[in-house]
Amino acid sequence: MKLSLPNAQQVLHDSTRTLKRFPLSMLSAAVATVISVYLIEREEAIQHLEPYFRIIHVSLLGIPLFLGIDLLGEKFKLSPTLKVVSMLCGLFFLLAYYATLPEEMTNIHFSRAAIMMLTVHCFVSVAPFLSRGNYRAFWEYNTQLFLRFFGAFAYAIMLFTGLSIALLALDKLLGVEVNEDLFAELLVILLGLFNTWFFLAGVPDDIDSLEEEQQYPTELKAFTQYVLVPLVSIYLVILYLYMIKIGLTWDWPRGMVSWLILFLSLLGILSSLLLYPVRQQQENQWLYHFSRLFYWLLLPLTALLVVASWRRISDYGFTELRYFLLAIALWLIGVTIYMLLNRRQNIKVFPLTLGIISLVTAFGPWSAFNVSRKSQLNRLEKILQEYALLEDGKLKPSDDKLSFEGKKEVSSIVSYLVRVHGYRTLQPLVPISLDSLLKDENRRQYPEAIMHAAFGTEFVRKWENVSQKMFSIQLNRSENSAYDVKGYDYVLECEFAGRDHEDISDYLLTDGSKLSITFDRNTSTLKVLRNRQNIHTVPLKGFVEKLVENNPTGRDGIFLSQSELKVKAQNRNGKVQVCFQYMDGELDKERIKLNNMKIIMLLEVK
């Protein structure tokens, strides 16, 4: 077979044709790319990055939005005037959406951005097929887009890898200085412009011809038949065994089962869609029966998903994640029943209904964000009323009335509302100005500050219990003093984090010997070993107990000076000084346990 490569004229012709066919999609990609490159170049000089991030987000949203509008115009053969009007409508939508974005993006706006991207991608999927029929063409069109997307991404990554190696060769072999930012800019350009251009060049232009019989990709059938279908079968067996266990033990569904059912649903629906054109063929009748059986077996599992979601909601109220989980569960029940009752099994229903549900859940009083905010505020008010801490709708701070569990529950709600919806959500409840309270606070400390000043009690983390609390001690950075290393041979920085019984940090000294520093969490002891021989043992328990006893933990932890955070030891092997940067642990009535710490060790080796 003769292999022919496209010439430069053909490449230029195809590129120009794509630009003319999808001008605003390419313009959106160019805007997002140019601003991203500008931010990489000028990030340190720009004080406020948020406006640029908002423009990038809206531009990225414009790529699929204008693609869908163009495809819709091609399908219904709109006149040039109507095409311009539809483009202006799309532009107006983006500008209106941009106007709703605040100066500072929160978790809500990032979540809504993800939902909007899902919605417009669903729009692209169905835009040329809003009329009845054309099921085969719909499948072929979306399959081509699916494969083209991954192909474009793979080409972009391969190009980036090759060009990055070339730049490194210029730097290392020829001495040409290459700025590190150039690699990030190259990746942005390839993913933003090349990837988009390559993908759009592969969008089918004769939609009606796709209804004709096409050769089904052998590799796609093999992947679905021998990879996806067996995986779906395995998950079905596991989840049905779990359902039997629930029936025997009356142990209600746990959190993990929700994600397993969602993953199974994704794999099963993907398998069913990928095999859609061939499952009616005589030799593939078993695939048709498997698809029907899958939807029958999925129905009880989606009911289980609804039960698992509702149990969490009834206990702890709505959050965005629980709302979306319940919405997806109800959507799965709906499409499953539809696929079982509708013999033709119109597969357009998947992107069409998913796009509508996504849009509905993102905006309005019924949106995930409004429902979750109101649910958690109602839950907070109910707890405060139970402890008689509300008077005329305002909080009466009192540390005595709230139980430990009450403090933990209130802390959890306050933390969620501040993190997701912003601290001003709590302003109607509290009698003090939160703007004044938090103006000089670190954002991470907002929930602790509100609990301490507005609620008049401590912030209790979800892993704490009545007899056990957490403490943290850290160096007061305002001192910014250097360490006196006179008389020591080595300065070693160590960090121990985790829950293991023992942590080890290894070092190679200048004389070739191996040094190990071990931290035993059970005994709160540091040991220094040289070539596996113990040369120093530094007990920390008594030192930490005195620190905690003499410095009651505040809401932000304990901040101490450099001189207060030193432990020294000396023996015939030399001397050692441990300088703490940070430490945390658990505190109860009987003992103190040190969990994590960061230290600088000064070591003399004889």
Side-chain angles (χ1 to χ4, degrees):
M1 182 176 68
K2 187 177 180 181
L3 180 66
S4 60
L5 297 175
N7 55 40
Q9 186 176 359
Q10 181 65 37
V11 171
L12 181 61
H13 175 268
D14 291 343
S15 301
T16 305
R17 178 176 171 275
T18 301
L19 185 59
K20 289 180 178 179
R21 189 182 175 199
F22 306 115
L24 291 187
S25 290
M26 285 305 306
L27 178 61
S28 298
V31 171
T33 302
V34 168
I35 293 179
S36 298
V37 170
Y38 176 75
L39 288 182
I40 294 171
E41 285 280 349
R42 305 280 297 167
E43 182 180 5
E44 294 181 358
I46 299 174
Q47 291 184 346
H48 301 290
L49 298 173
E50 289 80 7
Y52 298 95
F53 289 150
R54 294 201 300 273
I55 296 174
I56 291 172
H57 162 51
V58 173
S59 299
L60 292 176
L61 189 63
I63 298 173
L65 176 65
F66 289 121
L67 170 60
I69 292 173
D70 281 323
L71 291 172
L72 202 62
E74 290 179 355
K75 171 64 178 178
F76 293 101
K77 297 180 174 56
L78 298 181
S79 65
T81 302
L82 287 178
K83 284 185 178 180
V84 171
V85 171
S86 64
M87 289 296 178
L88 289 175
C89 289
L91 186 60
F92 176 78
F93 171 80
L94 290 179
L95 291 174
Y97 177 63
Y98 178 83
T100 66
L101 299 176
E103 292 185 4
E104 188 173 339
M105 297 277 281
T106 64
N107 287 351
I108 290 178
H109 300 96
F110 287 119
S111 300
R112 187 175 281 133
I115 295 171
M116 291 300 298
M117 288 299 288
L118 175 62
T119 302
V120 293
H121 277 84
C122 289
F123 171 57
V124 170
S125 176
V126 299
F129 300 95
L130 293 179
S131 56
R132 293 186 177 184
N134 301 114
Y135 302 131
R136 174 66 195 229
F138 174 79
W139 183 91
E140 190 68 40
Y141 161 80
N142 279 280
T143 302
Q144 288 189 24
L145 291 188
F146 180 76
L147 296 177
R148 187 75 178 186
F149 174 81
F150 286 104
F153 181 76
Y155 276 118
I157 293 301
M158 284 190 287
L159 268 174
F160 172 71
T161 304
L163 292 173
S164 296
I165 293 173
L167 290 174
L168 284 174
L170 284 175
D171 187 18
K172 303 300 180 184
L173 300 181
L174 300 179
V176 177
E177 186 177 350
V178 177
N179 192 315
E180 290 183 357
D181 289 344
L182 189 58
F183 293 95
E185 292 167 8
L186 177 63
L187 181 62
V188 166
I189 292 170
L190 289 174
L191 289 179
L193 281 180
F194 171 81
N195 177 68
T196 305
W197 211 320
F198 187 87
F199 170 79
L200 293 177
V203 175
D205 53 0
D206 188 1
I207 300 295
D208 293 333
S209 67
L210 298 177
E211 189 66 25
E212 301 171 4
E213 191 73 23
Q214 307 281 336
Q215 183 177 1
Y216 187 86
T218 307
E219 299 82 0
L220 192 60
K221 181 181 177 183
F223 171 72
T224 308
Q225 190 170 336
Y226 299 114
V227 177
L228 292 183
V229 170
L231 279 176
V232 169
S233 303
I234 291 170
Y235 276 102
L236 280 170
V237 170
I238 292 172
L239 286 168
Y240 266 85
L241 287 174
Y242 181 65
M243 284 185 69
I244 293 171
K245 179 185 174 184
I246 291 174
L248 294 175
T249 62
W250 286 99
D251 184 16
W252 285 98
R254 302 181 185 277
M256 182 183 177
V257 71
S258 301
W259 301 109
L260 284 176
I261 294 173
L262 286 179
F263 188 61
L264 165 69
S265 304
L266 175 65
L267 285 182
I269 291 174
L270 181 62
S271 303
S272 176
L273 292 177
L274 290 178
L275 293 170
Y276 180 78
V278 296
R279 61 186 180 180
Q280 297 288 0
Q281 297 173 359
Q282 188 64 36
E283 65 273 18
N284 295 317
Q285 280 294 300
W286 75 272
L287 292 175
Y288 171 78
H289 294 302
F290 175 83
S291 179
R292 295 280 298 176
L293 179 62
F294 165 74
Y295 287 115
W296 277 112
L297 293 175
L298 183 61
L299 201 54
L301 292 174
T302 52
L304 179 64
L305 180 58
V306 171
V307 172
S309 304
W310 191 252
R311 284 204 70 230
R312 296 288 295 176
I313 291 168
S314 61
D315 289 341
Y316 304 107
F318 276 98
T319 62
E320 285 74 16
L321 186 59
R322 293 168 197 153
Y323 181 103
F324 289 129
L325 196 61
L326 182 61
I328 292 172
L330 295 174
W331 174 75
L332 283 172
I333 289 178
V335 295
T336 300
I337 292 174
Y338 174 83
M339 295 301 284
L340 288 172
L341 296 180
N342 189 298
R343 283 286 176 181
R344 300 191 68 177
Q345 294 193 343
N346 178 6
I347 56 177
K348 297 181 195 176
V349 72
F350 288 101
L352 187 61
T353 55
L354 185 60
I356 292 171
I357 289 176
S358 299
L359 194 60
V360 168
T361 59
F363 298 96
W366 51 78
S367 71
F369 313 106
N370 282 325
V371 170
S372 300
R373 177 178 54 81
K374 290 177 181 177
S375 174
Q376 293 302 318
L377 279 173
N378 290 338
R379 189 165 157 247
L380 177 60
E381 289 180 9
K382 184 178 178 181
I383 295 171
L384 295 176
Q385 286 171 352
E386 287 176 0
Y387 287 96
L389 291 175
L390 277 184
E391 187 176 281
D392 298 328
K394 287 288 185 179
L395 175 67
K396 295 189 301 181
S398 174
D399 188 47
D400 299 332
K401 291 186 177 181
L402 274 174
S403 67
F404 182 84
E405 288 302 321
K407 292 176 184 177
K408 182 188 288 190
E409 203 165 2
V410 170
S411 297
S412 175
I413 297 172
V414 168
S415 180
Y416 160 80
L417 288 171
V418 170
R419 176 173 46 86
V420 178
H421 297 274
Y423 67 83
R424 290 188 179 91
T425 307
L426 293 164
Q427 186 60 75
L429 274 178
V430 299
I432 63 174
S433 169
L434 294 181
D435 286 332
S436 301
L437 173 67
L438 302 174
K439 64 179 180 180
D440 297 321
E441 283 283 350
N442 185 301
R443 186 185 301 272
R444 293 182 181 179
Q445 303 297 332
Y446 282 2
E448 288 89 342
I450 292 172
M451 285 295 293
H452 179 75
F455 287 77
T457 188
E458 62 184 326
F459 184 89
V460 180
R461 291 165 178 81
K462 58 184 178 181
W463 56 80
E464 296 184 42
N465 56 51
V466 177
S467 62
Q468 177 180 303
K469 297 182 181 181
M470 307 297 293
F471 72 87
S472 67
I473 303 173
Q474 52 190 307
L475 177 65
N476 190 343
R477 297 291 179 182
S478 61
E479 287 190 353
N480 201 25
S481 303
Y483 289 98
D484 183 5
V485 298
K486 185 177 180 181
Y488 295 96
D489 301 308
Y490 298 97
V491 179
L492 308 167
E493 188 175 34
C494 314
E495 185 167 5
F496 301 102
R499 293 285 177 177
D500 293 338
H501 164 66
E502 187 176 74
D503 268 354
I504 302 176
S505 292
D506 294 321
Y507 305 87
L508 188 65
L509 301 184
T510 53
D511 62 1
S513 59
K514 180 182 177 182
L515 188 81
S516 298
I517 303 173
T518 69
F519 172 49
D520 188 323
R521 286 188 171 81
N522 287 347
T523 60
S524 296
T525 302
L526 277 175
K527 290 185 179 180
V528 183
L529 296 88
R530 185 181 184 191
N531 294 328
R532 299 185 179 181
Q533 299 295 317
N534 186 13
I535 59 174
H536 287 290
T537 298
V538 186
L540 304 175
K541 185 177 179 181
F543 173 73
V544 175
E545 285 178 345
K546 287 182 179 179
L547 285 181
V548 175
E549 181 181 347
N550 296 332
N551 302 275
T553 305
R555 62 180 177 86
D556 299 326
I558 303 170
F559 290 86
L560 299 175
S561 64
Q562 188 185 104
S563 60
E564 295 174 289
L565 290 174
K566 290 181 181 178
V567 179
K568 298 180 180 180
Q570 187 171 355
N571 59 24
R572 57 186 178 84
N573 297 311
K575 57 184 179 180
V576 61
Q577 182 178 156
V578 180
C579 308
F580 288 92
Q581 306 293 294
Y582 171 83
M583 70 174 83
D584 67 41
E586 301 165 10
L587 171 67
D588 58 34
K589 295 179 181 179
E590 298 181 357
R591 67 190 182 101
I592 288 179
K593 183 183 178 184
L594 193 57
N595 287 332
N596 309 296
M597 62 180 179
K598 183 177 181 181
I599 63 171
I600 292 176
M601 179 176 286
L602 310 181
L603 182 66
E604 178 194 36
V605 177
K606 290 185 178 179

